[in-house]
Amino acid sequence: MTATVSLVIGLKASKISSARHSLTILLLMLMASSNSLLHLWFSEAPEQTTNIFVTIIATGIVLSNRNHWTASILFNWIGWFTVNFTLEIALIQHFFFAMTMSTLLSWFAHLARKN
């Protein structure tokens, strides 16, 4: 579903008003994050967290709206904590550090994009 929605939006991107670009990108990022969190949940494999790292970093690269960026970061962190504490996935400290680093990289990319 995520791929289909992304393809349709990509094909119709020129018809989306510039005022709605950031919101559209945010929705795509939240769908990608949801997909990654579902993979982590169903597989219970901690290495699936790497997909969330990529989504977090990409958020900083593509979103210039601070509120949208913050919403995406919070969504990823809350989802990741929820899955990890519910399923008691191993290596949480290791992946917590990686989540922190990807968030910092995302923030730096976001700041660079804003300027």
Side-chain angles (χ1 to χ4, degrees), residues 3 11-12 18 20 25 29 32 38 40 53 59 63 68 72 75-76 79-80 96 98-100 106-107 110 112 115:
L11 293 173
K12 303 286 184 185
S18 60
R20 297 195 186 268
I25 293 169
M29 297 305 292
L38 284 171
L40 178 61
F53 303 157
T59 298
L63 287 174
H68 292 167
S72 180
F75 180 84
N76 280 289
W80 182 76
F96 176 82
M99 286 284 288
T100 303
S106 178
W107 182 43
H110 175 73
N115 296 329

Side-chain angles (χ1 to χ4, degrees), residues 15-62:
K15 295 179 180 160
I16 299 171
S17 71
S18 60
R20 297 195 186 268
H21 282 180
S22 184
L23 181 59
T24 303
I25 293 169
L26 173 64
L27 293 175
L28 287 172
M29 297 305 292
L30 293 177
M31 287 180 70
S33 295
S34 297
N35 193 22
S36 296
L37 289 165
L38 284 171
H39 279 243
L40 178 61
W41 180 276
F42 289 127
S43 70
E44 297 185 29
E47 63 271 10
Q48 291 296 328
T49 303
T50 57
N51 297 331
I52 300 167
F53 303 157
V54 172
T55 305
I56 288 173
I57 294 168
T59 298
I61 295 168
V62 300

Side-chain angles (χ1 to χ4, degrees), residues 4 6 14 18 22 30 70 77 81 92 95 113:
T4 302
S6 295
S14 63
S18 60
S22 184
L30 293 177
T70 303
W77 273 95
F81 271 122
I92 191 168
F95 288 107
R113 182 162 168 58

